Amino acid sequence: MSASTASPAATTPARAPKVETPWRRFVSEFCESKLALAGLIVFAIIVFIAIFAPWLSPQNPYDLAQLDIMDGRLEPGARDGADTMTYWLGTDDQGRDMLSGIMYGLRISLLVGAGSAIIACAVGASLGLLAAYAGGRTDTVIMRLVDLQLSFPTILAALMILAFLGKGIFNVVIALVIVEWAYYARTVRGTALVERRREYIEAAQCLALPTRRVIFRHLLPNCLPPLIVVATMQIARAIALEATLSFLGLGVPITEPSLGLLISNGYEYMLSGKYWISFYPGIALLITIVSINLVGDQMRDVLNPRLKK
């Protein structure tokens, strides 16, 4: 072989090093916590079960034609009167399969929690951005409303609203939005007050860009990290609050029970030994809230580097 002939290895171009994008850095730092990763996996499974509950559950607990009062309060592992179905987690007082009730109850709890958190986030973030950017009287009025909202106990305010509006999934969402929006507004305003003094905001103002574009195209993206953390925590808080309201009898209707209502249905039977009616929905609610909190705690640590110092 002549000296001028290059080896195959020498002619192979070197691979360019991978560029560490913000998304890759976020995923890498998030996966450093095994608990947060486990929480994310568990929550993904819960969401999957909730979405596909009609195909995964052995019974439709909302269909009265499938319920038999004679099968009420059967122990876990018992079979129905026709010996065609096994109730792996037992039944409640109406003969509802607890496993199916939990699957469908997860749908209601996640729908109410996520829906109220998204709407409250949109309302609170918009008002918080407006207060920080406009300042003056606008800031004063919005923040006094925030102080007034936060001065009321959350559960008491939600109970008063539902006592006026009545039961129903839509009414529960409205009540949760009213009691939650202030947390988002206060968080976004604090971050936006710092960001509005940055050079890029001054440059946008010098270019005479519309106020809406400055707020939502330039200011809002830089307020997202703390907003995402608060939203994650508030979803878990909204699910717990909805369960509390349903347990007290002011939440979702009895025909479409959430986890809180399932727990309430079995509370009076706890002393008689029928523990499973409240126990298993309570465990499902606990696992859901803990998994969301694990994810939220790690996201807070990743998105706020100062907490690592």
Side-chain angles (χ1 to χ4, degrees):
M1 179 181 295
S2 61
S4 60
T5 304
S7 62
T11 58
T12 302
R15 291 184 178 180
K18 291 184 178 180
V19 179
E20 187 178 12
T21 62
W23 171 249
R24 287 180 178 175
R25 183 168 59 252
F26 171 80
V27 173
S28 176
E29 294 180 358
F30 182 87
C31 293
E32 290 178 359
S33 173
K34 303 302 181 183
L35 281 177
L37 192 58
L40 181 61
I41 294 174
V42 170
F43 182 66
I45 295 174
I46 290 174
V47 172
F48 177 84
I49 292 174
I51 293 175
F52 295 98
W55 295 274
L56 296 176
S57 61
Q59 180 192 76
N60 183 356
Y62 300 159
D63 186 3
L64 297 180
Q66 298 187 29
L67 304 183
D68 188 353
I69 194 68
M70 300 301 296
D71 292 332
R73 299 190 293 276
L74 294 180
E75 296 183 355
R79 299 184 67 85
D80 61 359
D83 200 30
T84 58
M85 177 179 174
T86 301
Y87 299 116
W88 298 107
L89 300 183
T91 62
D92 63 3
D93 57 338
Q94 300 178 22
R96 179 186 291 112
D97 176 42
M98 293 306 304
L99 179 59
S100 303
I102 291 173
M103 289 182 176
Y104 276 79
L106 284 171
R107 306 183 83 192
I108 302 297
S109 297
L110 291 177
L111 175 64
V112 172
S116 62
I118 292 173
I119 299 174
C121 180
V123 174
S126 300
L127 293 176
L129 288 170
L130 179 61
Y133 188 81
R137 184 176 299 178
T138 302
D139 184 23
T140 301
V141 171
I142 293 177
M143 294 316 297
R144 294 300 74 78
L145 288 175
V146 170
D147 294 337
L148 179 63
Q149 173 64 53
L150 296 179
S151 65
F152 282 93
T154 302
I155 184 64
L156 178 60
L159 286 173
M160 292 172 60
I161 295 170
L162 285 177
F164 176 75
L165 296 178
K167 293 182 180 180
I169 295 177
F170 183 72
N171 292 340
V172 173
V173 172
I174 293 177
L176 294 181
V177 169
I178 293 175
V179 300
E180 285 182 341
W181 71 270
Y183 296 96
Y184 298 97
R186 186 175 62 178
T187 300
V188 171
R189 175 184 177 271
T191 306
L193 284 175
V194 177
E195 293 296 328
R196 74 185 295 263
R197 298 187 181 94
R198 305 287 187 184
E199 291 80 3
Y200 69 91
I201 296 296
E202 295 180 359
Q205 291 173 339
C206 291
L207 293 174
L209 296 179
T211 301
R212 182 182 302 177
R213 182 175 180 182
V214 175
I215 292 177
F216 293 103
R217 290 286 300 275
H218 300 281
L219 191 58
L220 176 60
N222 291 281
C223 299
L224 285 180
L227 187 61
I228 293 173
V229 174
V230 173
T232 305
M233 296 298 187
Q234 288 299 111
I235 290 176
R237 189 168 180 268
I239 292 175
L241 184 56
E242 181 277 325
T244 303
L245 295 172
S246 296
F247 182 85
L248 296 174
L250 289 175
V252 299
I254 193 172
T255 55
E256 297 182 358
S258 66
L259 294 179
L261 191 56
L262 291 175
I263 297 173
S264 177
N265 290 341
Y267 182 73
E268 59 181 305
Y269 300 106
M270 292 288 289
L271 296 179
S272 61
K274 308 296 191 296
Y275 68 91
W276 59 86
I277 303 177
S278 292
F279 178 75
Y280 291 120
I283 291 298
L285 179 64
L286 176 65
I287 293 175
T288 302
I289 295 176
V290 169
S291 64
I292 297 175
N293 284 334
L294 289 175
V295 174
D297 287 341
Q298 183 63 8
M299 290 182 66
R300 179 194 58 190
D301 296 340
V302 172
L303 295 175
N304 190 353
R306 288 176 294 183
L307 295 177
K308 301 179 182 180
K309 297 181 180 179

